[in-house]
Amino acid sequence: PQDPRVLDSMLPYLTAYYGNPHSRTHAYGWESEAAMEKARQAIADLVGADSREIIFTSGATESNNMAIKGVARFYKSRKKHIITTQTEHKCVLDSCRSLEAEGFRVTYLPVKKNGLIDLKELEAAFQPDTTLVSVMTVNNEIGVKQPIHDIGEICRAHKVFFHTDAAQAIGKIPVDVNDMKIDLMSISAHKIYGPKGVGAIYVRRRPRVRLEPLQSGGGQERGLRSGTVPTPLAVGLGAACEVAQQEMEYDHKRISQLAERLVTKIMSEVPDVVMNGDREHRYPGCINLSFAYVEGESLLMALKDVALSSGSACTSASLEPSYVLRAIGTDEDLAHSSIRFGIGRFTTEEEVDYTVQKCIQHVKRLREMSPLWEMVQDGIDLKSIKWTQH
């Protein structure tokens, strides 16, 4: 949900201060511009950047598209190779696919069982004409946290630009673009209790990263992203960053406790539950559990009053099991039985307990209906069965 403090900061710009932030000839424009620049500074402060390196966008999907296509196309005369991972957000993978159609080569690095990439494989993937490496900071489905610091060092040593999709990390874990040697970074407002429909991209000035803009127009946002910046949304993103900076430590501690409570309670009551992704290197607010012998969709339907998903919201319309779970080697049947729990700033202990109790109740009920569960109880190894096609 949107943080009430964020809404408070936005309201004046939805009513009294309605000037176009790019209008230089009157006071209404100046007021809006000042508010926009203050928000830009707040975003920069949160990630250790210079405010001139922050460009407003419509969200992390646009930022990811800009970073990957923009850098690739700008340097295409000399460099034609990009490296990313198999567990990136769909908009990163699709941007890479569209570049392949333009003649670029893309290496999709596999991840280990725990969801983390192998740094040796990354080293080996570099080619003389590699232009960009794109690895997300925190995975949106299984919550694992990649070794961004080490990846940044490796990219800098190879003189290759490093982009990270940090939509799930900004404001939740400490991120410093200089310390982590990040050259481009995508940011989304609604992941940190800001308004939907706004985000930002960080583009490093030194060493300078050049992009070919996706959108042509009046040349706003340093010519990288034409179009009027929506002042109320930009102000909301800035306020969300300010609040996140003040409360990050407290939020993290609280969310860790709630996550621990959720996982411990479910696992103590229900056998055959697998936690997907690394146990240590993770952001605690994103928990992905597989309940063996239970169809994930059935469990979701049974828990209608709880906001859960079987993958990310962007891909939840398709019945394919999550490609992220497939990439970490989850069996097809377990991938179909996985549920993602999100815990945030406003989640209460009562909500966690309610979810746990409902979850346990329905998993038990659904398993009692399952012939597979019955067979497992009888000691039959399901993998040994030859199923016949009718």
Side-chain angles (χ1 to χ4, degrees):
Q2 198 164 296
D3 192 299
R5 290 164 286 190
V6 170
L7 181 61
D8 287 345
S9 72
M10 289 166 65
L11 276 173
Y13 297 94
L14 288 160
T15 51
Y17 303 111
Y18 48 81
N20 183 324
H22 311 289
S23 295
R24 291 287 165 80
T25 53
H26 50 69
Y28 302 103
W30 303 333
E31 286 167 347
S32 294
E33 187 186 24
M36 178 177 83
E37 292 310 325
K38 179 173 174 275
R40 199 189 300 275
Q41 187 63 56
I43 302 163
D45 290 345
L46 181 62
V47 297
D50 179 322
S51 69
R52 291 171 299 178
E53 299 173 310
I54 301 294
I55 306 294
F56 285 109
T57 67
S58 65
T61 290
E62 185 186 348
S63 301
N64 285 335
N65 273 270
M66 269 175 78
I68 293 162
K69 294 173 183 169
V71 167
R73 288 171 185 160
F74 191 91
Y75 297 97
K76 69 171 180 248
S77 57
R78 299 197 311 281
K79 297 181 165 187
K80 284 285 208 178
H81 180 243
I82 295 158
I83 300 171
T84 187
T85 77
Q86 292 173 5
T87 53
E88 292 300 303
H89 190 278
K90 202 166 182 328
C91 64
V92 168
L93 297 176
D94 282 0
S95 294
C96 289
R97 296 251 188 279
S98 73
L99 287 174
E100 284 181 298
E102 292 174 28
F104 290 89
R105 302 185 317 286
V106 182
T107 300
Y108 299 94
L109 292 175
V111 291
K112 298 181 284 194
K113 278 291 267 186
N114 61 0
L116 299 174
I117 66 166
D118 186 333
L119 294 173
K120 288 194 185 66
E121 286 185 12
L122 173 64
E123 281 273 11
F126 282 96
Q127 295 176 12
D129 66 341
T130 303
T131 165
L132 183 74
V133 171
S134 180
V135 180
M136 77 198 314
T137 311
V138 170
N139 186 277
N140 55 316
E141 284 192 31
I142 53 176
V144 298
K145 197 161 71 192
Q146 297 289 354
I148 294 300
H149 198 282
D150 302 341
I151 298 169
E153 294 283 353
I154 293 169
C155 292
R156 189 60 62 88
H158 285 270
K159 294 194 164 50
V160 168
F161 292 131
F162 173 37
H163 164 253
T164 185
D165 170 2
Q168 296 282 353
I170 296 294
K172 298 175 184 176
I173 58 173
V175 173
D176 185 300
V177 290
N178 295 313
D179 178 43
M180 294 171 160
K181 310 232 179 339
I182 294 167
D183 298 306
L184 300 115
M185 181 168 69
S186 304
I187 298 170
S188 172
H190 69 260
K191 302 283 179 221
I192 52 169
Y193 314 96
K196 293 172 186 67
V198 65
I201 180 172
Y202 156 79
V203 183
R204 181 177 287 285
R205 284 170 69 88
R206 289 197 180 78
R208 192 177 173 84
V209 183
R210 307 292 298 274
L211 303 177
E212 191 176 288
L214 297 182
Q215 210 160 285
S216 319
Q220 293 93 335
E221 295 300 277
R222 316 201 160 268
L224 292 177
R225 205 272 185 188
S226 291
T228 302
V229 172
T231 313
L233 296 181
V235 167
L237 172 53
C241 287
E242 275 177 30
V243 173
Q245 194 161 15
Q246 292 156 10
E247 311 211 340
M248 193 186 305
E249 227 171 291
Y250 174 78
D251 278 349
H252 197 280
K253 209 166 113 187
R254 198 174 151 272
I255 289 169
S256 301
Q257 286 165 351
L258 290 176
E260 187 60 36
R261 186 180 181 104
L262 179 104
V263 175
T264 313
K265 284 191 163 190
I266 288 179
M267 290 193 165
S268 64
E269 289 282 330
V270 184
D272 297 310
V273 178
V274 181
M275 185 168 181
N276 297 305
D278 195 276
R279 268 320 224 341
E280 294 302 302
H281 304 279
R282 63 179 309 108
Y283 167 65
C286 179
I287 304 158
N288 193 304
L289 300 178
S290 288
F291 298 90
Y293 320 112
V294 170
E295 183 62 56
E297 295 296 321
S298 316
L299 189 52
L300 282 181
M301 289 293 108
L303 296 164
K304 279 199 284 289
D305 53 341
V306 184
L308 301 164
S309 63
S310 53
S312 70
C314 327
T315 53
S316 62
S318 73
L319 290 172
E320 274 291 287
S322 147
Y323 63 86
V324 173
L325 294 179
R326 282 225 290 263
I328 60 174
T330 307
D331 284 347
E332 190 90 0
D333 50 350
L334 266 185
H336 270 299
S337 64
S338 73
I339 300 281
R340 180 181 73 160
F341 299 83
I343 294 178
R345 183 181 291 162
F346 301 113
T347 309
T348 63
E349 225 168 69
E350 294 74 41
E351 286 168 339
V352 169
D353 291 347
Y354 176 82
T355 303
V356 167
Q357 170 233 324
K358 280 280 197 229
C359 206
I360 293 167
Q361 175 195 335
H362 289 297
V363 168
K364 286 181 173 167
R365 179 179 66 82
L366 289 165
R367 279 180 178 172
E368 273 160 23
M369 291 157 61
S370 161
L372 296 179
W373 176 248
E374 211 170 296
M375 291 157 87
V376 172
Q377 298 313 298
D378 294 341
I380 299 168
D381 177 13
L382 295 182
K383 291 216 169 23
S384 68
I385 297 174
K386 298 267 186 287
W387 302 100
T388 59
Q389 295 280 311
H390 289 297

